[in-house]
Amino acid sequence: MAILYALVARGSVVLAEFTAASTNASAIARQILEKIPGENDSHVSYSQDRYIFHVKRTDGLTVLCMADESAGRRIPFAFLEDIHQRFVRTYGRAVFSALPYGMNDEFSRVLSQQMEYYSSDPNADRINRLKGEMSQVRNVMIENIDKVLERGDRLELLVDKTANMQGNTFRFRKQTRRFRNTVWWRNVKLTVALIILLLIIIYVVLAFVCHGITLPSCLK
């Protein structure tokens, strides 16, 4: 585990603590509580062998943890901030009058759970979590871009089909107009031919009629 020990204290009065390993962390932590200067808020770290003690003091409440050197500072201080918020939210102003270890039975379990979480869960690191979220956002954006590009290809295909349809429609209209003109001229020719034929028939009939009328007069 990256974080092996943690406590919450008011000044030098320990209100809750938990240790995940058999070390002298508790004794060293009390020495640090005595050495923290003044009542001002502070964020400090102390080196002890291969371990680092990280301390966050805010509004008279001190949260301390011991972590491996490999844990760096970002994760331990994220843990301290989390513990501080949980402790204040749970106990409120009672922290200023509580007896030593007054919250230990209940809050030591919280310390244990959060130590495990910040020591082993990658999501505990905000920066890594943000990187993961950014990676997810990037993947979603790439997927959306691919969909847009694919839709663009489909639109191009649709435009091509539309253009082909328009071209076919134009050719069909042109052929239809040509066919109508051909049929019209054919009808005109047929009408003229019928008129001529009718005139010829009328002429022939008149000729026979005239011949039939004039013939008897010739016999006289």
Side-chain angles (χ1 to χ4, degrees):
M1 291 182 64
I3 301 175
L4 304 172
Y5 171 83
L7 67 74
V8 182
R10 183 188 67 245
S12 60
V13 177
V14 177
L15 302 177
E17 72 176 337
F18 179 82
T19 181
S22 299
T23 64
N24 61 345
S26 180
I28 297 174
R30 281 161 177 75
Q31 294 178 14
I32 292 175
L33 291 177
E34 296 291 342
K35 291 181 179 180
I36 297 177
E39 296 294 331
N40 296 330
D41 295 351
S42 61
H43 294 71
V44 294
S45 299
Y46 300 91
S47 176
Q48 177 67 26
D49 296 331
R50 61 187 182 90
Y51 300 110
I52 306 295
F53 287 81
H54 304 278
V55 183
K56 169 183 169 62
R57 171 181 281 176
T58 304
D59 299 330
L61 189 66
T62 302
V63 185
L64 177 149
C65 72
M66 182 186 77
D68 292 328
E69 289 181 340
S70 59
R73 300 188 75 226
R74 189 171 64 241
I75 293 177
F77 274 103
F79 166 78
L80 296 179
E81 178 66 25
D82 184 16
I83 292 300
H84 180 271
Q85 292 181 2
R86 289 173 182 270
F87 197 83
V88 172
R89 186 167 58 246
T90 302
Y91 301 107
R93 298 189 61 83
V95 300
F96 299 108
S97 58
L99 297 175
Y101 290 94
M103 290 83 173
N104 193 66
D105 290 343
E106 179 181 7
F107 203 76
S108 61
R109 291 191 295 271
V110 177
L111 292 174
S112 174
Q113 293 171 358
Q114 295 309 107
M115 285 167 60
E116 175 69 23
Y117 172 70
Y118 280 88
S119 297
S120 58
D121 195 326
N123 292 325
D125 189 346
R126 290 184 178 179
I127 292 181
N128 287 336
R129 185 168 67 250
L130 289 174
K131 288 181 179 179
E133 292 174 355
M134 292 176 64
S135 177
Q136 292 179 356
V137 171
R138 184 176 66 251
N139 292 336
V140 171
M141 291 178 64
I142 292 174
E143 183 178 353
N144 290 337
I145 291 173
D146 290 339
K147 290 181 179 179
V148 170
L149 293 176
E150 181 181 358
R151 187 163 63 247
D153 292 339
R154 292 179 179 177
L155 288 174
E156 289 179 1
L157 293 175
L158 180 60
V159 170
D160 291 340
K161 291 181 179 179
T162 303
N164 291 334
M165 291 178 62
Q166 291 176 346
N168 294 333
T169 302
F170 175 77
R171 286 192 295 271
F172 177 76
R173 289 178 178 175
K174 187 175 182 180
Q175 291 174 357
T176 302
R177 191 161 49 247
R178 184 182 302 168
F179 176 75
R180 288 178 178 175
N181 293 335
T182 302
V183 172
W184 185 82
W185 279 112
R186 189 174 298 172
N187 291 335
V188 169
K189 291 177 181 180
L190 180 60
T191 301
V192 171
L194 289 174
I195 292 173
I196 294 173
L197 179 62
L198 182 61
L199 292 175
I200 293 174
I201 293 173
I202 293 173
Y203 175 78
V204 171
V205 171
L206 291 176
F208 274 108
V209 170
C210 290
H211 182 72
I213 295 174
T214 58
L215 185 58
S217 62
C218 292
L219 291 175
K220 293 179 180 181

